[in-house]
Amino acid sequence: MKPSRTACALSLAATLATLVLAGCAASPAVRYYSLSAATPATAAAAASKPLLVEVPPLSLPERLVRPQMVVRAPTGQLEILDLHRWSSPFDAELHDALASGITQQLGAIDVSGGGRLAGQPVYRVAVQLRQWEAVQNQRVDAGFSWTIRRSDDARNIACQWNQSEPVGAGMDALADGARTLTAQAAQRIAASLTALDADAAAKCPG
């Protein structure tokens, strides 16, 4: 007896469903990374009037404004990796990691979202990421510049810092290198702010 059209249709649908499920099961999973330190930095002791800090959105190359990791292969080719992503778009991820690192280093309060105290000056920290090259299995190069300006007078400072962090093989190592550079940048910026708060004529820490 010939199978009915309904039975054939059901059999075909079941076969297609099996193929789709098999294809999904074989698809590699997306991996997510963060620039924030796994263990928070030790916060400075809170003063009676903690510093107030505002960190506006960062300025950085347009090619990096995406959640996917942007890396350079050892051959020099630039690659956007769909399966390796930051936990948020890179500009937001870097901003949050820097702002958190700076305030933790200083025991400061981030007032970027409001909540300023009347009569207390705010330090506005504007950061520019001038260079960011993540070379697979080799290193991460970063170039930061920043200006810090106090809201109540002409006290300000402008600094820059370049660093290269060697990394091992694999994307986990590359993410670790990026996280290390971000933490170091936050430390440098915090040191600049501390120097400026103590002396209006302060120079960028060496």
Side-chain angles (χ1 to χ4, degrees), residues 168-191:
M171 296 308 300
D172 287 354
L174 198 69
D176 285 342
R179 195 177 302 113
T180 296
L181 280 179
T182 301
Q184 291 175 351
Q187 291 170 1
R188 291 272 178 163
I189 297 169

Side-chain angles (χ1 to χ4, degrees), residues 24-105:
C24 290
S27 299
V30 177
R31 298 198 62 177
Y32 292 91
Y33 302 87
S34 174
L35 284 174
S36 297
T39 303
T42 302
S48 57
K49 283 189 176 181
L51 295 175
L52 302 185
V53 177
E54 177 188 5
V55 184
L58 309 184
S59 174
L60 72 169
E62 188 65 29
R63 71 178 187 278
L64 300 174
V65 184
R66 64 183 75 241
Q68 297 96 330
M69 279 190 171
V70 179
V71 302
R72 193 170 296 280
T75 59
Q77 182 180 359
L78 199 65
E79 298 179 351
I80 298 173
L81 305 181
D82 284 327
L83 298 181
H84 298 276
R85 303 188 176 205
W86 301 109
S87 58
S88 59
F90 182 73
D91 53 327
E93 185 74 22
L94 182 59
H95 171 273
D96 293 349
L98 286 174
S100 176
I102 293 166
T103 54
Q104 286 176 359
Q105 290 287 327

Side-chain angles (χ1 to χ4, degrees), residues 54-61 94-95 98 102 124-132 141-149 157-163 181-182 184-186 188-190 192-193 204-205:
E54 177 188 5
V55 184
L58 309 184
S59 174
L60 72 169
L94 182 59
H95 171 273
L98 286 174
I102 293 166
R124 188 175 190 272
V125 184
V127 182
Q128 179 182 11
L129 181 66
R130 295 177 291 101
Q131 177 195 15
W132 185 272
D141 300 328
F144 289 88
S145 61
W146 60 90
T147 59
I148 304 174
R149 184 179 297 276
I157 194 171
C159 305
Q160 62 180 10
W161 175 71
N162 301 285
Q163 185 67 19
L181 280 179
T182 301
Q184 291 175 351
R188 291 272 178 163
I189 297 169
S192 302
L193 202 158
C204 297

